[in-house]
Amino acid sequence: MLPVVGELKPWQDPAVVSIGRRQMRPTLTVAPDVETVRLGPDASPWRLDVNGPWHFRLYDHPEAVPASAVDGSMSRGWREVDVPGNWTLQGVGDHPHYTNVDMPWPGRPPSLPERIPTGVYRRSFRLTRVARGRRAVLHVGGAESVHVVYVNGEFVGYGTDSRLPSEYDVTDRLIAGENELTIVVIRYSAQSYVEDQDQWWMAGLHREVFIEFRGLVNIDRLQTVTDWDHQTSTASMSVDVYVDAGRVDLERGWTTRVWVETLEGSRRGRVLTGKVASNHRSPYVFTGHRSSVTSDVKGVKPWSAETPSLYRVVCELVDPSGEVCEVVAQRVGFRRVETIDGLVCVNGNPITFMGVNRHDHHPDRGKAVTVDDMRADIVTMKAHNINAVRTSHYPNDHRFYDLCDEYGLYVIDEA
């Protein structure tokens, strides 16, 4: 039986959407300095990639998974599969299934079939000095349908939402040197009724998995809103920086520095300094630590599908002594979408949507699409005068939206 959750059987309960999972947020990677953050997420020394070959065993039901499969004591009978990947396309004996309006099994919601294929993924990783004094957060980019996480045989958490990332604080479960990570993925769950779409049912860890080492005080997310006034040809921007310090009061003196630059690193406008609220609480309510800045931005061009001009918002987190603790970046465009005289307009110009639907799907890898796969889809669309894409029927990999920004596609988030 699965340790901790085996008797609870949360996969049968549509009301249980997570156990021990951190609050959901956009994927954002921290770096130690501006030069590193400009190189992209893979350049950060605080990010440990655990993609690639994993040990794998398939069971007919989550209740059939023995504790020895997750605590590291079972040493035989494992095979290798790729992560990201769908086990349904890796020859393990469980196959893809297609339905449109019918579920793959009979019965009324939230009943489940007698056989619920369950995959146990295991791999080891070594903890290095870069993790010392930092919080370790496991990022599971996508798991169909639900998943259970164990580190060194100890239960960490449970998550649903197969097309959204789940994150878990695993700091207290790690040890110096070699560590064992186990993710149990259950193919069908009560959440399958919500995720029923006209597409191929797959299974497994189909998006990236990594561990990020964040500061005890760190930038949790940026909320950037940009605007373009076509009448005056001026741009503006507001940025809310949400800082995570755990559930404690933050000492006074923390600040953020925010600016806009070109993708080549040439700054546009001035550096905006914001104070991080150090005691942002009401009785019985914690609303978070946040700094906010607003400014006009000079010397930028507007974004549209025809002219996808992009810029980089850079944010530094500065401690009370004046030291930069970490840096994050976000690519943005300046545009205004509005309705004028009954017409949808971008930057004051009426547009015609010429769009298509798109699934995350590859003939060989299923839902485990690579950045190159996404780019090929977008280049093909652009070559055929497509300017809009509908993400039927779920949130896509976050990198797909970045590519739409880069190549110029309007995105209809049909989720």
Side-chain angles (χ1 to χ4, degrees):
M1 180 179 293
L2 287 171
V4 180
V5 296
E7 294 183 358
L8 300 176
K9 304 176 185 177
W11 55 87
Q12 295 182 353
D13 189 347
V16 179
V17 296
S18 68
I19 302 172
R21 182 170 65 184
R22 289 174 55 85
Q23 180 179 349
M24 288 181 141
R25 63 161 202 154
T27 301
L28 190 69
T29 299
V30 297
D33 51 55
V34 175
E35 289 73 21
T36 304
V37 85
R38 287 172 178 159
L39 298 175
D42 293 337
S44 176
W46 294 333
R47 176 166 166 164
L48 175 62
D49 183 355
V50 290
N51 294 322
W54 285 56
H55 296 298
F56 181 82
R57 286 183 68 115
L58 185 68
Y59 295 86
D60 283 340
H61 198 280
E63 295 180 31
V65 179
S68 58
V70 301
D71 65 12
S73 61
M74 182 182 292
S75 59
R76 296 184 178 181
W78 298 88
R79 59 178 299 157
E80 282 194 351
V81 297
D82 290 328
V83 174
N86 291 124
W87 77 58
T88 41
L89 291 173
Q90 298 193 57
V92 302
D94 186 37
H95 305 293
H97 188 105
Y98 179 83
T99 57
N100 188 348
V101 296
D102 297 320
M103 293 294 289
W105 61 85
R108 300 178 62 183
S111 63
L112 296 176
E114 291 185 6
R115 181 175 181 267
I116 305 176
T118 301
V120 180
Y121 292 82
R122 275 178 50 188
R123 68 156 293 165
S124 60
F125 63 92
R126 178 167 288 275
L127 204 61
T128 62
R129 279 184 288 179
V130 74
R132 290 180 181 175
R134 306 186 69 83
R135 295 165 61 186
V137 177
L138 171 68
H139 175 102
V140 181
E144 187 175 347
S145 165
V146 300
H147 63 280
V148 190
V149 176
Y150 299 88
V151 173
N152 295 323
E154 294 188 53
F155 173 76
V156 172
Y158 165 87
T160 62
D161 306 287
S162 67
R163 299 300 192 274
L164 288 171
S166 296
E167 293 188 334
Y168 304 89
D169 192 326
V170 298
T171 310
D172 295 338
R173 299 289 189 268
L174 298 180
I175 58 176
E178 204 76 13
N179 289 263
E180 188 83 19
L181 172 61
T182 303
I183 304 179
V184 180
V185 180
I186 301 168
R187 181 172 183 178
Y188 299 125
S189 71
Q191 273 66 35
S192 297
Y193 288 92
V194 179
E195 298 176 346
D196 177 35
Q197 307 290 351
D198 52 333
Q199 62 173 315
W200 286 96
W201 293 82
M202 296 289 178
L205 295 170
H206 58 91
R207 291 184 184 166
E208 60 183 348
V209 182
F210 59 85
I211 299 173
E212 187 171 71
F213 301 104
R214 302 175 188 168
L216 300 182
V217 178
N218 62 85
I219 300 173
D220 187 62
R221 66 188 191 277
L222 298 183
Q223 184 172 315
T224 306
V225 178
T226 61
D227 189 28
W228 173 267
D229 188 333
H230 65 277
Q231 295 180 330
T232 61
S233 296
T234 58
S236 61
M237 174 188 71
S238 65
V239 180
D240 291 326
V241 185
Y242 293 85
V243 174
D244 180 12
R247 297 280 175 172
V248 298
D249 287 339
L250 191 67
E251 63 178 309
R252 294 180 182 274
W254 286 83
T255 59
T256 59
R257 291 199 293 254
V258 176
W259 68 87
V260 178
E261 62 182 31
T262 66
L263 299 186
E264 291 74 36
S266 177
R267 188 175 297 170
R268 293 291 184 265
R270 58 192 177 91
V271 177
L272 308 172
T273 300
K275 294 181 179 180
V276 180
S278 59
N279 189 5
H280 203 253
R281 293 192 302 173
S282 299
Y284 304 110
V285 177
F286 178 78
T287 54
H289 304 295
R290 183 180 68 177
S291 74
S292 300
V293 294
T294 303
S295 176
D296 292 335
V297 183
K298 307 293 185 181
V300 297
K301 299 177 181 179
W303 185 98
S304 69
E306 292 74 29
T307 57
S309 302
L310 286 179
Y311 299 87
R312 182 187 296 115
V313 172
V314 179
C315 177
E316 294 178 329
L317 179 64
V318 184
D319 70 14
S321 69
E323 181 180 351
V324 176
C325 295
E326 62 183 35
V327 186
V328 298
Q330 186 179 69
R331 292 197 305 178
V332 301
F334 294 87
R335 86 289 180 266
R336 179 182 293 180
V337 180
E338 58 188 334
T339 302
I340 303 175
D341 296 330
L343 299 175
V344 177
C345 297
V346 175
N347 303 327
N349 299 313
I351 63 170
T352 299
F353 286 110
M354 294 173 285
V356 293
N357 301 324
R358 177 191 173 275
H359 275 295
D360 275 342
H361 192 84
H362 186 275
D364 298 320
R365 292 186 295 275
K367 302 302 176 186
V369 293
T370 66
V371 172
D372 288 340
D373 297 334
M374 302 175 207
R375 182 178 287 108
D377 285 350
I378 291 174
V379 169
T380 300
M381 287 187 272
K382 294 291 288 188
H384 290 80
N385 296 318
I386 298 301
N387 70 352
V389 59
R390 170 174 169 257
T391 59
S392 53
H393 306 279
Y394 42 80
N396 284 194
D397 187 298
H398 67 97
R399 294 168 295 185
F400 178 74
Y401 302 102
D402 294 338
L403 290 171
C404 290
D405 292 343
E406 177 182 339
Y407 285 90
L409 279 175
Y410 302 114
V411 178
I412 311 298
D413 265 335
E414 193 272 337

